[in-house]
Each structure stands twice: as structure tokens, then as C-alpha cells.
Amino acid sequence: MDLINGDCLEEMKNIKSNSVHLILTDPPYNINHNNLEWDKVDNYIDFMISVFKEGHRVLKKNGSLYFFHNDF
């Protein structure tokens, strides 16, 4: 088992398609910290769409996606 720590959009580019058993994500990250551009709702939604698209590519057909989310 490998645990990868880094920017998910950058790190997933290095992962072979249909090779991941589990994606676990608990966004949003850094809300109200460091004035990050994707901290804002419009950019956050665009960011998550990109995450899900790339996640779909790397996830095995019988893989699982756990998406924890809390409205802010």
C-alpha cells in the first residue's frame, strides 16, 4: 500500500489509470487560511470538479471514493 502526500492534482498525474483502490478526501482544506485562491466558493467548486475527474481516471472500476464534506 502506498500513501501519497502532496498536491492531489499534481500527484494524480503520475498515477496509472484504473490502478487505485481507494480515494479518501475531506475538503475543503485551509478554509480562511493564507487567503488561498481556491478558498473561495466558486474556485473551490472548480477545483473539486478537477479532483473528481482525475480521481475517476485513476480509480479502479471496483474502487471506492470516500468524500467527506461539511457545508461552510
Side-chain angles (χ1 to χ4, degrees):
M1 173 176 35
D2 293 324
L3 177 63
I4 300 169
N5 183 19
D7 181 308
C8 64
L9 292 177
E10 291 302 315
E11 296 297 333
M12 282 195 286
K13 291 176 185 175
N14 301 316
I15 298 174
K16 187 173 110 178
S17 296
N18 302 313
S19 65
V20 173
H21 292 279
L22 171 67
I23 296 174
L24 184 135
T25 183
D26 187 12
Y29 308 107
N30 295 316
I31 292 300
N32 297 321
H33 297 286
N34 301 323
N35 197 24
L36 297 174
E37 185 61 27
W38 57 270
D39 239 1
K40 296 163 184 60
V41 173
D42 291 340
N43 290 335
Y44 169 77
I45 292 169
D46 292 339
F47 171 77
M48 288 310 302
I49 288 170
S50 298
V51 170
F52 288 138
K53 284 181 179 179
E54 191 63 11
H56 182 261
R57 181 189 68 77
V58 301
L59 197 63
K60 287 184 172 220
K61 299 301 180 201
N62 63 346
S64 297
L65 167 70
Y66 286 85
F67 174 63
F68 299 96
H69 191 271
N70 190 8
D71 291 338
F72 53 91

